[in-house]
Amino acid sequence: MANADDILDVVIVGAGLSGIGAAFHLRDKNPECRYAILEGRAAMGGTWDLFRYPGVRSDSDMHTLGYSFRPWSDSRAIADGPSILRYIKETAAEYDIERYIHYSQKLVAAEWSSRDAAWTLSIERADSGEKLTQRCRFLILASGYYDFDRGYTPDYPGLADFRGEFVHPQKWGDGVSYAGKRVVVIGSGATAVTLVPELAKTAKHVTMLQRSPSYYASLPSVDHVATALKKIFPYRLGHTLVRWKNILLAMALFWFCRFFPRAARRLLLFGVKRELKDESASLDDFSPRYDPWDQRLCFVPDGDFFRALNGGTAEVVTDTVDTFTASGLRLKSGRTLDADLVVTATGLKLKFLGGVTLRIDGLAVNIPDVIPYKGAMLSGVPNLGMTFGYTNASWTLKCDLISEWFGKLWQYMGANGYATVTPDANPDVERVPLIDFSSGYFQRAQDILPRQGTKPPWKLSQNYFADLIAFRARPLADTGLRFSKR
């Protein structure tokens, strides 16, 4: 890290997919920019280095989850965690980004000085507890939106009596054993659907215990249309066509579900019924109470989840936990589930902006009071950027647009002699929840999230076409931003 008295141009927080992408776009537009990346963990990769549970994989296709500037070349559209981690590392190496990463350095607080037009960062070394200080002109928070330290686990009655092993997927380690054991996976989202077929390969039996069902859609892990397009057309054009094909298909599916929820529900349940080989199988365990895409849709590559159910090595039980016992769980219905291992795939804990404390000229920034600008900055907060992706599509799609925009923004400020840029929102802007998903992890975090406006640029767009216009076509100096010289 640079000397505390030295001022860097930009500091990026997070060395995962978003942070590495932000570094590329920053230097692509500003080759002379002096920057650093702070990574609180001891390795790059973010989510894809943290999660080590069996079968961990993407829940979006990699042609859109991957970078626009470095296309995903693997034949698998749905990729496993180690492959994605390798892709991130190879990208950092190819564009000479890794040498700018400072590992085990966690940003705790950031204080803005209007007099100096600079941030003073309070950093803590994760390996030694040493306190460090760094100054910068612009701060980009690319650390995602959930708590890396712990996932969400309900307070289960009787858990202390359970004699088996109890683990959250976020804390999965090499010592967790499941071969030949009775396993209960609590949850019904992407993590649970990923775990069940992988555990069922060697476990004695796996039960997925869900409080309520989710929607599932099977798709091939290898995109054969993409493979053909990349063979027919030149490298870059082929990848561009594949990326746009997948963007359009994902958007079409989302809007079909939103505008025609009954038809979408019938279609999704028909797909599940076709996957289940037992003709007498009930769809009750696969019929959510909410409409499609009110929560994120779970994709099942190559139908592996349903193969585990059809093979008798796994089952789905819809019920709630009454209490843990010494040998397993007792459910509200009175049924008992014996278990040697219980995996709580019960969701994430959100931590907006990585939990960093922000202060401006000595005054604390209360996050619920600010309004996001294009989902990339915060009202009233100077020279602060954030990468916040889509909830209805690949996360990186929007992060890529935002990071490209940051690169152009820093270039514009330098060319015009501007020291600061601050989004200014009318205090009378109508505000609504930031995310309209009904997922538990969003609902539990409402009190720590900002609220968005109802009109651009204060509305958090979930539409890639609208964002293409907002970030690429519209002028940087629009009515929502205030630029000033030192």
Side-chain angles (χ1 to χ4, degrees):
M1 205 65 184
N3 185 281
D5 295 327
D6 189 21
I7 299 182
L8 292 172
D9 292 323
V10 181
V11 167
I12 299 168
V13 179
L17 259 174
S18 301
I20 300 302
F24 167 83
H25 286 294
L26 180 67
R27 287 296 294 271
D28 184 54
K29 299 290 189 297
N30 307 273
E32 304 303 318
C33 177
R34 298 175 64 248
Y35 82 101
I37 301 175
L38 297 180
E39 171 53 56
R41 305 178 71 249
M44 85 166 72
T47 299
W48 303 107
D49 179 71
L50 174 69
F51 287 129
R52 304 293 180 90
Y53 61 82
V56 57
R57 64 196 180 202
S58 62
D59 63 349
S60 302
D61 84 276
M62 288 304 302
H63 296 102
T64 56
L65 188 64
Y67 301 117
S68 60
F69 58 88
R70 188 174 184 269
W72 176 259
S73 59
D74 195 296
S75 62
R76 294 166 300 167
I78 302 297
D80 60 85
S83 296
I84 301 172
L85 179 59
R86 185 167 57 251
Y87 170 73
I88 296 171
K89 290 181 176 180
E90 289 173 351
T91 303
E94 181 174 336
Y95 294 102
D96 194 29
I97 294 171
E98 185 169 15
R99 67 191 177 101
Y100 296 95
I101 303 174
H102 300 267
Y103 294 107
S104 298
Q105 296 198 14
K106 181 179 181 180
L107 179 62
V108 177
E111 170 111 19
W112 173 261
S113 167
S114 296
R115 182 186 64 184
D116 299 332
W119 288 98
T120 298
L121 310 181
S122 298
I123 303 161
E124 182 177 299
R125 287 199 63 96
D127 48 3
S128 65
E130 178 186 2
K131 303 294 191 296
L132 305 173
T133 301
Q134 176 63 53
R135 301 171 74 203
C136 64
R137 299 293 186 194
F138 203 101
L139 178 62
I140 299 175
L141 300 174
S143 51
Y145 64 6
Y146 68 88
D147 192 337
F148 269 54
D149 295 326
R150 61 190 64 84
Y152 172 71
T153 301
D155 185 15
Y156 292 113
L159 182 57
D161 299 327
F162 180 53
R163 293 198 300 261
E165 191 170 5
F166 182 85
V167 63
H168 190 284
Q170 194 166 322
K171 293 293 185 181
W172 194 285
D174 294 336
V176 181
S177 172
Y178 55 91
K181 293 184 177 180
R182 299 163 300 179
V183 183
V184 174
V185 177
I186 305 177
S188 61
T191 302
V193 174
T194 297
L195 274 164
V196 168
E198 189 66 25
L199 299 178
K201 292 177 181 178
T202 57
K204 181 177 182 180
H205 189 266
V206 180
T207 301
M208 188 177 88
L209 173 62
Q210 58 181 15
R211 185 177 56 186
S212 60
S214 297
Y215 286 106
Y216 305 117
S218 291
L219 76 171
S221 59
V222 175
D223 186 338
H224 296 291
V225 175
T227 301
L229 287 173
K230 286 186 284 187
K231 287 181 178 179
I232 295 171
F233 294 97
Y235 177 80
R236 181 64 66 171
L237 176 59
H239 281 285
T240 300
L241 291 174
V242 170
R243 186 175 174 88
W244 272 106
K245 172 187 76 73
N246 291 353
I247 289 171
L248 292 172
L249 285 175
M251 291 182 67
L253 174 60
F254 175 77
W255 291 113
F256 173 69
C257 290
R258 282 299 175 95
F259 284 109
F260 306 101
R262 291 184 179 178
R265 179 184 177 88
R266 287 196 297 269
L267 182 63
L268 290 168
L269 293 183
F270 172 78
V272 170
K273 184 69 173 178
R274 188 175 60 180
E275 291 283 354
L276 295 172
K277 301 305 180 185
D278 184 355
E279 293 296 331
S280 63
S282 171
L283 286 181
D284 291 346
D285 292 322
F286 303 93
S287 303
R289 295 188 293 267
Y290 56 87
D291 287 334
W293 268 117
D294 281 354
Q295 296 183 23
R296 195 170 176 91
L297 184 64
C298 293
F299 293 107
V300 182
D302 301 322
D304 60 359
F305 172 65
F306 297 108
R307 283 204 309 274
L309 299 181
N310 293 330
T313 53
E315 67 171 328
V316 175
V317 173
T318 305
D319 209 328
T320 53
V321 177
D322 179 47
T323 184
F324 272 74
T325 65
S327 59
L329 305 88
R330 186 171 68 244
L331 308 180
K332 293 287 188 182
S333 64
R335 179 178 175 179
T336 60
L337 297 177
D338 292 332
D340 306 300
L341 169 65
V342 174
V343 185
T344 55
T346 44
L348 308 170
K349 286 185 66 177
L350 298 196
K351 183 183 278 189
F352 190 67
L353 303 183
V356 175
T357 300
L358 301 176
R359 299 180 71 86
I360 300 176
D361 297 327
L363 298 177
V365 176
N366 186 33
I367 295 299
D369 291 341
V370 301
I371 307 176
Y373 170 83
K374 293 185 178 180
M377 300 184 74
L378 297 174
S379 63
V381 184
N383 290 26
L384 178 79
M386 61 180 187
T387 56
F388 200 91
Y390 293 120
T391 54
N392 65 351
S394 293
W395 178 264
T396 321
L397 267 181
K398 183 160 187 170
C399 291
D400 214 38
L401 286 175
I402 291 174
S403 295
E404 180 186 345
W405 184 78
F406 285 148
K408 292 188 292 185
L409 180 64
W410 187 249
Q411 183 185 50
Y412 175 84
M413 291 173 66
N416 291 276
Y418 292 125
T420 63
V421 55
T422 309
D424 280 336
N426 186 322
D428 296 326
V429 168
E430 181 184 354
R431 305 188 189 193
V432 296
L434 183 67
I435 303 294
D436 65 352
F437 268 20
S438 61
S439 302
Y441 60 100
F442 281 120
Q443 297 304 313
R444 291 190 296 269
Q446 289 300 316
D447 59 339
I448 65 169
L449 296 174
R451 293 171 67 82
Q452 65 172 323
T454 56
K455 297 179 181 179
W458 310 107
K459 180 177 175 60
L460 186 67
S461 170
Q462 295 289 342
N463 185 304
Y464 185 67
F465 288 120
D467 282 331
L468 273 177
I469 296 171
F471 288 108
R472 288 185 177 174
R474 297 196 185 281
L476 282 163
D478 70 7
T479 55
L481 294 181
R482 171 170 47 88
F483 292 90
S484 59
K485 300 185 178 183
R486 189 171 307 166

